[in-house]
Amino acid sequence: MKKWIIVGLCAAVLGGGTAVWASGSSLVGKKVERIVSLYVGDTKVNTDAIIIDGVTYAPVRKVGEITGLQVNYESGTVKLNRKNAGDNSSNTSNLTRIEEINARLQANKEKMKSNSQSIGESEKKLGELRAKYGSDQTGLQGDKDYKYHLAFVKAAKAENADIEKENESLNKEKQQLLAMNK
């Protein structure tokens, strides 16, 4: 008997709460098409967004806090405002992002150095193979080592070019963040 009273009470509370929320929402009865991960820049928000009728709905407070905005709810209105200059929490998040950028730049530097060393070794091997075959370049084209080292050099140079582009973007973002912290 007690079990049924508790179940009934829970159903009434849950049902009543849903009815109140539903009465003020235009999304009532709408089907959630998809649940998607939410990122702000490279930062994953620890809650998901939903898509209903092709519109993505995200948690305003989480997005606001990550982007450094102050989020307030007053009389049925959500307000997003820039934080006061005296509030250093956005500066702290900027400094954290700058540290992340610096770490990524350092990792990229080490990867490019490693690639450059490997490119040098492969180019040396290519030179040795070219010397081995001399004027008979037809034999060189069928050599598996030659094909491997040629493909490796091409891929490593392309990777270094991609890393350089990423570094440019990271340095630009870093400069913007540093300017915001002044």
Side-chain angles (χ1 to χ4, degrees):
M1 183 67 172
K2 286 181 185 178
K3 183 194 265 184
W4 290 110
I5 293 173
I6 293 172
V7 169
L9 207 57
C10 288
V13 169
L14 291 174
T18 304
V20 170
W21 176 81
S23 65
S25 173
S26 63
L27 300 176
V28 175
K30 300 282 183 163
K31 181 181 174 191
V32 174
E33 296 168 15
R34 231 176 349 170
I35 297 174
V36 295
S37 295
L38 180 61
Y39 284 80
V40 176
D42 291 334
T43 304
K44 184 175 187 330
V45 179
N46 65 356
T47 187
D48 294 327
I50 59 171
I51 299 175
I52 300 174
D53 290 338
V55 177
T56 304
Y57 295 89
V60 175
R61 183 166 304 281
K62 291 283 185 185
V63 173
E65 288 171 353
I66 288 175
T67 57
L69 297 173
Q70 184 176 10
V71 182
N72 292 314
Y73 178 80
E74 300 170 9
S75 305
T77 303
V78 176
K79 294 183 179 182
L80 298 171
N81 297 305
R82 294 190 195 284
K83 293 185 178 182
N84 296 333
D87 183 357
N88 69 355
S89 60
S90 63
N91 288 348
T92 302
S93 65
N94 286 351
L95 293 175
T96 300
R97 178 63 185 143
I98 290 169
E99 289 172 0
E100 292 169 356
I101 290 170
N102 286 337
R104 182 65 183 175
L105 289 169
Q106 182 61 35
N108 284 351
K109 179 181 176 183
E110 291 170 12
K111 180 63 177 167
M112 287 180 71
K113 181 180 178 183
S114 173
N115 281 352
S116 295
Q117 289 172 342
S118 297
I119 289 169
E121 292 166 9
S122 284
E123 286 178 336
K124 180 180 177 186
K125 182 66 175 173
L126 288 170
E128 292 170 1
L129 290 168
R130 285 187 193 106
K132 174 183 168 184
Y133 285 97
S135 62
D136 181 20
Q137 296 297 306
T138 56
L140 185 63
Q141 298 305 319
D143 189 292
K144 290 181 182 180
D145 276 347
Y146 182 79
K147 288 180 180 179
Y148 167 80
H149 287 288
L150 197 61
F152 175 80
V153 167
K154 183 179 178 181
K157 285 182 176 181
E159 183 177 23
N160 277 357
D162 289 343
I163 291 172
E164 285 177 5
K165 288 179 186 174
E166 180 184 10
N167 284 351
E168 287 176 25
S169 175
L170 289 170
N171 280 316
K172 184 177 179 181
E173 180 184 356
K174 181 179 169 181
Q175 293 307 315
Q176 291 171 341
L177 291 169
L178 287 169
M180 289 170 53
N181 280 349
K182 289 183 178 180

